[in-house]
Amino acid sequence: MFAWIKRLDDHFPVRYTAWIACAVAFVFAAYAAWRWGWRPWIAVALLALVLLGLRDRVQTRHSVLRNYPVIGHLRFLLEFIRPEMRQYFIEGDNEAAPFSRQQRSLVYQRAKGDSDKRPFGTQMHVGEIGYEWINHSLQPSVLPTHDFRVLIGEGRAQPYEASIFNISAMSFGALSANAILALNAGAKRGNFAHDTGEGSISRHHRVHGGDLIWEIGSGYFGCNHEDGSFSEERFAKNAADPQVKMIELKLSQGAKPGHGGVLPGPKVTIEIAEARGVPPWVDCVSPSSHSAFTTPIEMMRFIDRLRDLSGGKPTGFKLCIGHPWEWFAIAKAMQQTGITPDFIVVDGAEGGTGAAPLEFTDHVGAPLQEGLLLVHNTLVGLNLRSRIRLGCAGKVVSAFDIARMLALGADWCNSGRGFMFALGCIQAQTCHTGNCPTGVTTQDPVRQRALDVPTKSDRVYHYHQNTLMALKELVQAAGLPDPSAITAAHIVRRHSEQGVKLLANLLPFVRPGELLAGEMPHQVFRTYWPMAQAESFAVAA
């Protein structure tokens, strides 16, 4: 008998049990439908499972399905819902992947106008290396408003007084139409800026009239000739729009610095093509570098030209720091030409709402702290810091995140994923698939209808307002008159089990004019400053 069972298992192993059970159940259901009038759809459903098992056995793509017909699909289902299961049932409140439950909950609560208070003390490990806090004062200050502003482009024809907390660059195409509508409506109501991303200004950006920062990428979308080169005429026309407050030249982004991109033709809808100035249903290429300039000096002249063509609107650039000598080459070009951007936005490698190859996400580009500090120190050392405003982006979602970046030298902060959470993003991490469960990052008209524009625009507005209210309370607790007064001497970090230091003593800072005086204050300057040249991004001979 055992030999018979073994022979049976050789032909129909235990792993086929689910498939065989479906076949047996089908026979019974079909007989019951014919003999006793059972509902025939049961038999049809079971037949479909039997045929599915047959297909699993003959296909060659998935070994799991060949060995486990029918039931093997459970593995792919569990893999599909794994992020949600981990997020809701396994992940701790302070595990960051990339944003912790506590961080996301804070945004959700502030966006909804719910209480963001926490009972029973901190959940943070205050003895852990890397833990940070802001020192408070025994004489707190009283600030009249939470509407903190920074003037960008002072002395230009059309300067812009920006909020110190704005929406980071996210293109229409990466985000849905409803997401763009809600973000811009919230920005309009709260009087803060909405960066278009390199996908240019779409019809959805214009509906509510919120302030725009127009990002110009290497594809020159919205200001391009048919061959993809830069068009002064198209640029001037779009830049003249009163809704456009600043012009931002994108050199690189935190998610995938040094990497171009292709939007496949089937995704280039008529609306996306209209915004970008490209043919619909044809592959849309974002080159990895610019064609309008090839040297740092040419770049400075291009920025100056953009400023003139825009009628004197604040014009600057965004980058994620890579080779230090390339950034130093840009700084030397500022010196040599006398042309300075009105602002620079530093993107950290930990940032990025768009999909990117894993190697780029994890191992390319400088993190925000190092990138921001290098840019700030360079400008201070050249006595240019007072002429150039600094923005930054990279996992900034809370008031303390903003305070910390201001301490490192930023004038304002941008947030991408923070505002995505305000829209209802649940960090499903399916942004690049078109299957976003909340309608934030999809062009599927059915899926994006789930995102109700009036409701979500309210949440965008409230998240912005409540975050700045929290920042106001932090600044008051520190006894300061304004967020701009926050310095690295106000933030403390634990650097060992027994030791803590002010960031001012832990991180390298440069004194005003040091580089002009020929002093090389830190190793990065001693090593890379001599390698930089204004005439080329390449290493000096």
Side-chain angles (χ1 to χ4, degrees):
M1 179 177 178
F2 291 109
W4 179 81
I5 292 175
K6 184 179 183 305
R7 285 197 301 273
L8 180 65
D9 186 63
D10 288 340
H11 290 88
F12 297 100
V14 173
R15 60 181 179 269
Y16 293 169
T17 301
W19 185 27
I20 295 171
C22 288
V24 172
F26 161 69
V27 172
F28 177 78
Y31 177 79
W34 170 72
R35 190 76 174 80
W36 301 313
W38 279 24
R39 296 178 179 177
W41 64 263
I42 298 176
V44 172
L46 289 168
L47 176 61
L49 290 176
V50 173
L51 296 176
L52 177 66
L54 180 62
R55 174 187 171 277
D56 292 342
R57 280 293 297 141
V58 300
Q59 59 85 35
T60 58
R61 184 176 180 184
H62 299 292
S63 300
V64 169
L65 296 181
R66 283 172 68 84
N67 273 332
Y68 298 90
V70 181
I71 200 171
H73 289 275
L74 184 61
R75 180 258 184 193
F76 295 98
L77 173 63
L78 292 174
E79 183 180 54
F80 181 73
I81 63 174
R82 178 183 179 276
E84 288 79 6
M85 294 300 99
R86 174 176 174 79
Q87 181 182 125
Y88 294 121
F89 299 111
I90 301 172
E91 183 182 274
D93 282 349
N94 292 311
E95 291 183 52
F99 287 87
S100 69
R101 161 61 57 182
Q102 182 165 283
Q103 287 173 307
R104 299 194 304 274
S105 294
L106 179 68
V107 178
Y108 297 148
Q109 288 162 343
R110 288 180 173 165
K112 294 175 184 178
D114 295 343
S115 173
D116 59 1
K117 304 300 185 287
R118 294 285 191 277
F120 225 66
T122 182
Q123 296 181 20
M124 305 291 288
H125 301 292
V126 298
E128 190 174 64
I129 295 174
Y131 174 72
E132 294 180 334
W133 67 92
I134 185 168
N135 278 337
H136 67 281
S137 171
L138 294 179
Q139 293 184 310
S141 58
V142 178
L143 277 59
T145 180
H146 64 280
D147 185 25
F148 304 121
R149 303 254 149 208
V150 55
L151 184 62
I152 306 172
E154 185 175 5
R156 304 297 181 191
Q158 301 185 61
Y160 180 55
E161 194 172 27
S163 170
I164 66 169
F165 190 44
N166 301 291
I167 301 170
S168 195
M170 297 181 286
S171 301
F172 169 57
L175 298 190
S176 68
N178 282 12
I180 295 294
L181 287 166
L183 287 172
N184 198 255
K188 174 67 173 179
R189 183 177 171 192
N191 194 23
F192 56 99
H194 179 191
D195 194 312
T196 65
E198 68 174 306
S200 193
I201 308 168
S202 71
R203 65 176 72 173
H204 309 295
H205 286 96
R206 302 182 191 275
V207 171
H208 298 290
D211 291 352
L212 295 178
I213 300 171
W214 183 18
E215 183 176 274
I216 309 296
S218 55
Y220 306 113
F221 300 132
C223 54
N224 50 344
H225 290 296
E226 288 186 7
D227 63 357
S229 60
F230 177 71
S231 166
E232 290 193 351
E233 294 75 20
R234 291 198 65 198
F235 173 81
K237 180 180 178 181
N238 271 328
D241 188 332
Q243 197 178 343
V244 174
K245 302 300 181 182
M246 300 203 300
I247 309 297
E248 178 182 274
L249 181 70
K250 190 195 97 168
L251 303 182
S252 57
Q253 65 186 79
K256 46 183 177 181
H259 190 284
V262 178
L263 186 64
K267 293 186 178 182
V268 185
T269 64
I270 292 174
E271 286 182 330
I272 292 174
E274 174 189 75
R276 299 190 179 201
V278 298
W281 318 118
V282 176
D283 288 354
C284 180
V285 179
S286 296
S288 56
S289 60
H290 281 265
S291 60
F293 56 87
T294 56
T295 70
I297 288 177
E298 289 177 357
M299 175 184 156
M300 287 300 105
R301 290 174 178 158
F302 184 62
I303 287 175
D304 203 35
R305 182 61 179 152
L306 293 180
R307 188 159 44 212
D308 288 342
L309 290 170
S310 69
K313 293 182 178 180
T315 304
F317 63 90
K318 178 179 88 172
L319 83 168
C320 177
I321 292 294
H323 294 309
W325 68 80
E326 293 182 343
W327 155 243
F328 290 156
I330 294 172
K332 287 186 175 182
M334 295 180 202
Q335 284 184 289
Q336 187 165 320
T337 62
I339 300 170
T340 55
D342 297 305
F343 66 91
I344 299 171
V345 175
V346 181
D347 226 13
E350 64 270 47
T353 54
L358 184 64
E359 291 82 1
F360 278 77
T361 297
D362 290 345
H363 303 294
V364 181
L368 180 54
Q369 174 175 292
E370 286 68 29
L372 176 60
L373 200 57
L374 181 64
V375 172
H376 172 71
N377 275 338
T378 304
L379 297 179
V380 169
L382 295 174
N383 283 338
L384 292 174
R385 186 62 184 83
S386 61
R387 296 168 55 184
I388 301 172
R389 295 285 179 258
L390 278 185
C392 70
K395 292 191 76 171
V396 176
V397 296
S398 73
F400 182 77
D401 295 335
I402 297 174
R404 190 179 184 281
M405 292 302 109
L406 299 182
L408 294 178
D411 291 303
W412 86 88
C413 296
N414 296 331
S415 178
R417 288 169 291 183
F419 283 100
M420 286 174 67
F421 291 142
L423 288 173
C425 169
I426 60 171
Q427 196 172 269
Q429 300 183 60
T430 57
C431 312
H432 59 300
T433 66
N435 297 322
C436 174
T438 57
V440 176
T441 61
T442 179
Q443 297 304 306
D444 184 325
V446 177
R447 284 181 177 270
Q448 67 175 290
R449 274 204 298 269
L451 196 158
D452 182 68
V453 173
T455 301
K456 301 306 183 182
S457 65
D458 280 348
R459 293 188 180 185
V460 168
Y461 167 76
H462 286 126
Y463 169 55
H464 178 266
Q465 292 293 301
N466 289 327
T467 300
L468 290 186
M469 284 290 289
L471 179 62
K472 175 187 174 183
E473 292 176 344
L474 275 184
V475 175
Q476 290 178 153
L480 300 173
D482 189 81
S484 62
I486 300 174
T487 69
H490 294 101
I491 309 293
V492 189
R493 180 190 294 177
R494 184 176 295 283
H495 65 89
S496 67
E497 287 187 10
Q498 292 80 30
V500 300
K501 282 188 177 182
L502 299 175
L503 289 188
N505 298 327
L506 191 61
L507 300 176
F509 285 90
V510 172
R511 295 190 303 273
E514 273 194 278
L515 291 175
L516 287 178
E519 300 178 36
M520 297 291 110
H522 304 295
Q523 186 61 44
V524 66
F525 292 99
R526 289 192 287 272
T527 302
Y528 296 111
W529 186 261
M531 298 168 63
Q533 53 184 333
E535 294 79 16
S536 174
F537 285 107
V539 175

